[in-house]
Amino acid sequence: MTLQPGDIAPDFSLPDAGGNAVRLADFRGKQVVLYFYPRDNTPGCTKEACGFKDAHSNYQAQDVVVLGISPDDAKSHTKFAQKFQLPFPLLCDLDAKVATAYESYGLKKFMGKEFMGVHRTTFVIGADGRIEKIYRKVKPESHAAQILADLGQEKG
């Protein structure tokens, strides 16, 4: 069963870098950009996170919440967020259960090797808790700006 726009987004509760539980249900009434990324402090993930950081005031102006999720632990998230001054929560999906629920975890190939890992995927979740848009082919450098442009078109 592949997730599609219009489906109810799978609810979850994950710890943020400070150990606080963050639940998707807590953001009902707001749009949420939920982005899955493979690993803190890697080139693509850093570009993607900094894109969201640079556009964060624009997301806030539209009352949109940004949440990043990876299998990294709280210590890694804290270092990553501090190093790049990220103004949004990074959530710890240590066992990749949430990534799996969002079909963002699976077989990957890199330099001829196959392994299990997180796929760079983003979901825009509406105020009603339904998936509005899914980005499966993400370009880290321009991704945050692309979502903002798409959100602007939807509201215009």
Side-chain angles (χ1 to χ4, degrees):
M1 293 245 316
T2 302
L3 288 172
Q4 301 289 331
D7 291 349
I8 293 180
D11 196 16
F12 62 83
S13 178
L14 288 174
D16 65 11
N20 305 301
V22 176
R23 292 185 58 226
L24 181 61
D26 294 340
F27 299 103
R28 277 285 167 95
K30 290 187 175 210
Q31 260 185 323
V32 176
V33 171
L34 187 66
Y35 83 97
F36 290 89
Y37 66 100
R39 196 156 175 213
D40 292 339
N41 283 304
T42 55
C45 296
T46 299
K47 287 176 188 167
E48 186 176 19
C50 287
F52 282 114
K53 174 187 79 172
D54 294 345
H56 195 254
S57 62
N58 295 325
Y59 280 101
Q60 285 184 309
Q62 293 189 40
D63 205 26
V64 176
V65 174
V66 175
L67 300 173
I69 298 180
S70 86
D72 293 304
D73 63 18
K75 185 177 176 184
S76 176
H77 279 344
T78 298
K79 282 184 184 174
F80 186 50
Q82 286 176 345
K83 182 177 180 180
F84 296 102
Q85 299 171 335
L86 303 179
F88 50 86
L90 299 177
L91 308 181
C92 305
D93 189 18
L94 299 176
D95 55 10
K97 281 187 179 172
V98 175
T100 300
Y102 278 85
E103 300 163 356
S104 299
Y105 184 82
L107 193 62
K108 296 175 75 168
K109 292 181 183 182
F110 183 69
M111 296 179 70
K113 296 190 177 189
E114 290 187 345
F115 59 96
M116 295 299 283
V118 172
H119 296 281
R120 196 179 305 281
T121 315
T122 300
F123 296 81
V124 177
I125 301 167
D128 62 356
R130 293 189 177 275
I131 297 169
E132 292 181 350
K133 192 161 177 85
I134 302 172
Y135 298 83
R136 296 197 191 277
K137 301 283 186 204
V138 172
K139 290 190 173 105
E141 300 82 2
S142 58
H143 188 50
Q146 176 64 54
I147 294 171
L148 266 178
D150 292 348
L151 290 174
Q153 289 169 4
E154 289 170 12
K155 292 185 179 184

